[in-house]
Amino acid sequence: MRARAFGLRTRLLLAFLVVAAVSAGTTAALTYREARNAVLQTAQDTAVSSFRDQVQQTAFGLPPQGQKAMEDMLRSIARRGRPHPWVVFAEYGSIRASSGENRESTVITPELRRAARANPRGSFQRVVKDGVPYLTMAMPTVARFGPDTSVPSGVIMYAVMPMTDEQVNVEALMLAARDGALPGLVIALIPGLIAARSVLRPVRELRKAARSMGSGQLDTRIKVRGSDELADLARTFNESAARLERSVTELREAGERARRFASDVSHELRTPLAGMLAVTEVLDEDADHLDADTARAVRLVSAETGKLAVLVEDLIEISRFDARAADLNTDEVDVAETIRKTLLSRHWTDGRVVTELPDGIRARLDPRRFDLVVANLVGNALRHGEAPVTVRLTAPEEKALVLEVADSGSGIHPDVLPHIFDRFYKADAARTRSAGSGLGLAITEENVKLHGGTITAGNRPEGGAVFTVVIPLHAEGAGG
């Protein structure tokens, strides 16, 4: 069987991978965030604490010393920077000094300056400039005039520390999280395949069992494994299959008993009916010599006995089809000539039946059964429809013979059409009362099917019912 692009296995694996990817991605993202924060927080805390200590240990006088002395002091503080070297800046009014080449920093923001003036314990800020991260720190200084006396000096110290090492470490953490998540997804395929197999195996067994039951193997059962929902499904299937098998077996037995009963009764009635028919024939011959009431009774008995004989013969015939005992005794015949013989033997040559029978159409048919098909269709049209009845024979492209029997009546009621070939069905509401057995069209259909053909019923646009028989051609002249 062709594999489905998005079958149940694929959908299960995709769902499993999506869950694994979300889990791995979430874990990696949380791990990366915590590790990144830890790296940056550690470097930040170390630098801020160290800078605060350095500033507090440095003595400032008022007014501040000269710029040269201030720069030397800033270089001394910068050399002691941790965890990385700093660039230290000092601002006092309009005086600017630094431990580096530039007296003013381009990464110190106005927000940091405002925070430094407002907070005597200092402030810090992380800044990214040209793709490089920096930690900027600000600390106001005080001037001491004794062990317990200090006043703000007005000098604000700034330190700028590049955090390139931390950035490298953070990027390494991100790569490690990514590289760890990808193999995890690949490894997740293994339990995904195992889970998909454990789910799909009972589903495949259920599909196989359903197909087996559909083909007629009603004793099919599924092996129950475990106690999960799939096991419950297997048990339910087995219980339903067992009930269905019992029901079908009972129906088959009941149908077989009914067919055997009809067949046995029909055969048992055949012998006494033969005697009754012989008696009624004798009574019919003497009916003219009897009084009127007796003659009428004799003719009624004779007519009903004839109907009963027809019913018995039809029951015997339909029982052969039910028992699959009906067979074909085919012969190559001229179809038009066979139809003419059928009409002639039933005395339907008095103008009530119009024929369109081209010669030269030959086919392998069972003459007796084809005779019954034609006789039943024409007789049905004469009884229930109106004359003239048209019998038309064609052979389109010499592949099949098509026989159409159409009457000139009012047609078949739409409610009747679906049941027209049902056994014992009489369309009393649509046509005149039937005197037949109710099996004629059912037997006709079975005879057509026995020839490998089909029969349909419908109504003509101009009025009247039409029955169409299509039987494949098997004549030598038609190429088989």
Side-chain angles (χ1 to χ4, degrees):
M1 176 180 290
R2 182 176 62 85
R4 296 180 177 88
F6 293 98
L8 185 57
R9 176 192 290 272
T10 304
R11 294 198 297 272
L12 285 173
L13 287 178
L14 287 177
F16 199 90
L17 286 178
V18 168
V19 173
V22 171
S23 302
T26 303
T27 303
L30 293 175
T31 303
Y32 165 74
R33 187 187 69 179
E34 295 300 323
R36 173 181 177 274
N37 291 340
V39 169
L40 296 178
Q41 191 70 35
T42 300
Q44 174 182 292
D45 292 346
T46 301
V48 171
S49 177
S50 177
F51 183 58
R52 181 181 292 113
D53 292 342
Q54 294 295 329
V55 171
Q56 291 176 353
Q57 293 172 8
T58 303
F60 292 89
L62 289 175
Q65 302 172 4
Q67 186 167 337
K68 179 68 170 60
M70 186 176 288
E71 289 179 350
D72 291 339
M73 181 182 59
L74 295 179
R75 292 189 185 96
S76 175
I77 294 175
R79 284 193 297 270
R80 294 192 297 270
R82 290 187 303 129
H84 309 301
W86 304 331
V87 178
V88 183
F89 300 86
E91 296 180 357
Y92 179 75
S94 61
I95 299 174
R96 301 289 186 269
S98 77
S99 64
E101 298 178 354
N102 299 321
R103 291 184 179 181
E104 293 188 14
S105 173
T106 59
V107 297
I108 297 175
T109 64
E111 291 82 5
L112 183 63
R113 287 188 171 92
R114 288 193 295 269
R117 287 192 292 269
N119 186 1
R121 292 189 54 81
S123 300
F124 62 89
Q125 186 180 33
R126 285 203 294 263
V127 180
V128 177
K129 184 176 178 60
D130 299 330
V132 179
Y134 296 92
L135 176 65
T136 59
M137 298 168 286
M139 188 71 62
T141 63
V142 296
R144 293 183 176 86
F145 295 98
D148 300 322
T149 304
S150 62
V151 296
S153 66
V155 178
I156 299 178
M157 305 285 288
Y158 296 94
V160 177
M161 183 183 75
M163 302 185 74
T164 52
D165 291 346
E166 285 75 15
Q167 184 181 27
V168 171
N169 292 335
V170 168
E171 291 176 352
L173 286 173
M174 183 176 64
L175 292 175
R178 185 195 66 186
D179 294 342
L182 291 178
L185 289 179
V186 176
I187 296 174
L189 280 174
I190 297 175
L193 289 170
I194 295 175
R197 181 182 179 186
S198 64
V199 172
L200 290 178
R201 181 175 57 194
V203 174
R204 291 196 190 97
E205 292 178 353
L206 180 62
R207 180 182 63 184
K208 183 179 179 181
R211 286 180 175 174
S212 297
M213 291 193 65
S215 63
Q217 300 178 14
L218 299 181
D219 58 344
T220 302
R221 299 293 184 272
I222 300 176
K223 185 177 180 180
V224 180
R225 301 181 179 88
S227 58
D228 55 8
E229 290 81 358
L230 292 174
D232 292 340
L233 177 62
R235 293 190 189 93
T236 303
F237 177 88
N238 290 340
E239 293 170 0
S240 301
R243 287 194 295 269
L244 178 62
E245 184 180 16
R246 288 194 298 270
S247 298
V248 172
T249 300
E250 292 173 359
L251 287 174
R252 286 175 176 172
E253 291 175 351
E256 181 61 29
R257 287 194 299 269
R259 287 192 295 270
R260 189 165 52 249
F261 174 78
S263 178
D264 292 345
V265 169
S266 300
H267 281 85
E268 291 298 326
L269 288 175
R270 192 179 232 178
T271 301
L273 272 175
M276 292 172 63
L277 286 172
V279 172
T280 56
E281 287 179 2
V282 174
L283 291 175
D284 278 341
E285 293 176 357
D286 296 336
D288 294 336
H289 305 291
L290 302 174
D291 61 84
D293 291 338
T294 304
R296 188 163 46 252
V298 166
R299 292 190 178 94
L300 179 61
V301 169
S302 177
E304 294 302 324
T305 303
K307 292 178 183 179
L308 181 59
V310 171
L311 174 60
V312 169
E313 291 299 325
D314 287 347
L315 284 173
I316 292 174
E317 184 71 13
I318 206 73
S319 67
R320 291 196 186 100
F321 287 112
D322 289 340
R324 293 181 175 82
D327 54 3
L328 286 176
N329 295 312
T330 60
D331 191 9
E332 184 178 339
V333 298
D334 185 308
V335 182
E337 183 62 28
T338 303
I339 295 174
R340 292 190 190 98
K341 290 180 179 179
T342 299
L343 300 178
L344 181 61
S345 64
R346 268 77 173 182
H347 306 290
W348 291 332
T349 58
D350 55 357
R352 292 182 298 164
V353 179
V354 179
T355 60
E356 298 178 15
L357 306 175
D359 294 325
I361 300 177
R362 302 187 65 80
R364 293 199 65 84
L365 303 171
D366 185 324
R368 184 185 71 84
R369 296 189 180 278
F370 188 71
D371 172 79
L372 289 176
V373 169
V374 176
N376 279 339
L377 292 180
V378 176
N380 189 72
L382 290 173
R383 282 194 303 272
H384 302 296
E386 294 180 8
V389 173
T390 302
V391 179
R392 182 181 296 106
L393 177 66
T394 57
E397 299 180 1
E398 297 185 351
K399 292 183 178 180
L401 67 87
V402 178
L403 174 66
E404 292 183 355
V405 178
D407 63 47
S408 302
S410 58
I412 305 173
H413 195 276
D415 295 338
V416 175
L417 275 175
H419 311 285
I420 198 70
F421 295 105
D422 292 352
R423 297 178 183 182
F424 298 107
Y425 186 84
K426 297 182 181 182
D428 294 340
R431 292 184 167 188
T432 57
R433 185 179 181 277
S434 171
S437 65
L439 293 172
L441 289 179
I443 293 174
T444 300
E445 184 182 36
E446 294 292 345
N447 279 315
V448 172
K449 288 181 178 179
L450 204 60
H451 282 86
T454 59
I455 181 171
T456 57
N459 292 311
R460 296 190 301 174
E462 62 272 22
V466 57
F467 288 82
T468 304
V469 175
V470 180
I471 297 177
L473 278 175
H474 299 288
E476 295 178 358

